[in-house]
Amino acid sequence: MGNSNKLFYVVLISLFSSYLNAQNYEPQKPRPYSEDIVKKAEAGDSGAQAMLASFYFSGSGVERNVEKAFAWSEKSAGQNNPEGLVLYGILLMEGIGTQKNECKGFEQIKKAAELNYVTAQVTLGNCLFNGTGVTKDYVGAVKWFEKTAQTGNPQGQAMLGLCYAYGFGIEKNESKAMAWYRKAAEKGDPMASEELRRIEKNAVSR
């Protein structure tokens, strides 16, 4: 699975969580696909359109249909809904339900990031870091990782740790790398946990 496709699932989880919190539902009892959501989406509710797109992509409560997922994400993005913009952007970058267009996908994610949507900001940082839809830019990536890390986002914290560990776009600093890795690992980030073990193992073998 590519980096951007992995990010799609991070976005999907974030989208479900934010929607459930807004509706006061218990996390262990997530609200399923429903005609109520469909009606809201058809009436032009951009949040419901983004949710419907995620349902069609995942096949949660409805038959999986990536073309419909793309269509609803496009409608949501057209209203500058940040969640819709990210979903739309990643589907474009992956070519899921539509023709692949990494540059156009990047632009959608950038719009959402500028709307202060943290998931979009992490995704944008990863695009810059990997050169997905844009020229690789480690310094630019670090800017977004720092911004999201300060909000407590574990993916942002882990990626900032990685940049400090290897000197990507910022001066190499192992102590800062470990500090950010620890913060992310405490929240269950697997990459941060793996990198911490690597650093600690290397320290013992010196």
Side-chain angles (χ1 to χ4, degrees):
M1 187 184 296
N3 286 324
S4 54
N5 206 13
K6 287 180 182 177
L7 283 167
F8 184 89
Y9 289 95
V10 173
V11 171
L12 197 62
I13 291 166
S14 174
L15 178 58
F16 270 90
S17 297
S18 62
Y19 184 82
L20 294 177
N21 289 337
Q23 298 296 325
N24 296 315
Y25 283 92
E26 294 295 325
Q28 66 269 27
K29 296 179 181 178
R31 184 176 184 178
Y33 168 91
S34 71
E35 288 303 315
D36 180 54
I37 292 172
V38 175
K39 287 178 182 177
K40 287 181 178 179
E42 290 175 341
D45 185 308
S46 64
Q49 290 169 344
M51 277 300 299
L52 193 55
S54 70
F55 282 131
Y56 274 121
F57 177 83
S58 65
S60 176
V62 66
E63 185 176 352
R64 190 168 190 256
N65 187 317
V66 294
E67 287 77 18
K68 286 186 177 181
F70 177 78
W72 282 110
S73 71
E74 186 175 27
K75 287 179 184 293
S76 180
Q79 298 189 64
N80 281 329
N81 179 282
E83 293 164 342
L85 282 164
V86 176
L87 291 168
Y88 180 49
I90 292 177
L91 290 172
L92 280 166
M93 287 196 297
E94 288 291 316
I96 298 173
T98 187
Q99 186 174 347
K100 187 172 184 176
N101 189 328
E102 290 187 346
C103 293
K104 186 176 180 180
F106 174 82
E107 288 303 319
Q108 311 312 307
I109 291 165
K110 184 179 178 183
K111 285 181 187 178
E114 290 169 348
L115 291 171
N116 289 320
Y117 183 40
V118 175
T119 301
Q121 293 172 342
V122 175
T123 307
L124 184 62
N126 275 279
C127 289
L128 290 164
F129 186 88
N130 293 303
T132 306
V134 67
T135 302
K136 190 175 288 188
D137 179 1
Y138 291 137
V139 174
V142 167
K143 168 192 164 185
W144 290 106
F145 294 146
E146 285 181 325
K147 187 176 180 68
T148 56
Q150 294 294 344
T151 70
N153 181 276
Q155 287 80 35
Q157 291 172 338
M159 288 304 297
L160 184 57
L162 185 75
C163 291
Y164 272 120
Y166 295 95
F168 291 126
I170 200 167
E171 186 176 351
K172 188 174 180 179
N173 187 316
E174 191 171 275
S175 63
K176 287 185 177 181
M178 289 188 72
W180 285 113
Y181 280 151
R182 285 196 184 97
K183 287 178 184 291
E186 286 170 2
K187 295 170 185 170
D189 187 273
M191 187 271 281
S193 298
E194 184 178 335
E195 282 293 306
L196 269 178
R197 287 193 294 270
R198 179 191 64 79
I199 292 173
E200 290 166 355
K201 183 179 179 180
N202 288 343
V204 170
S205 62
R206 284 173 187 169

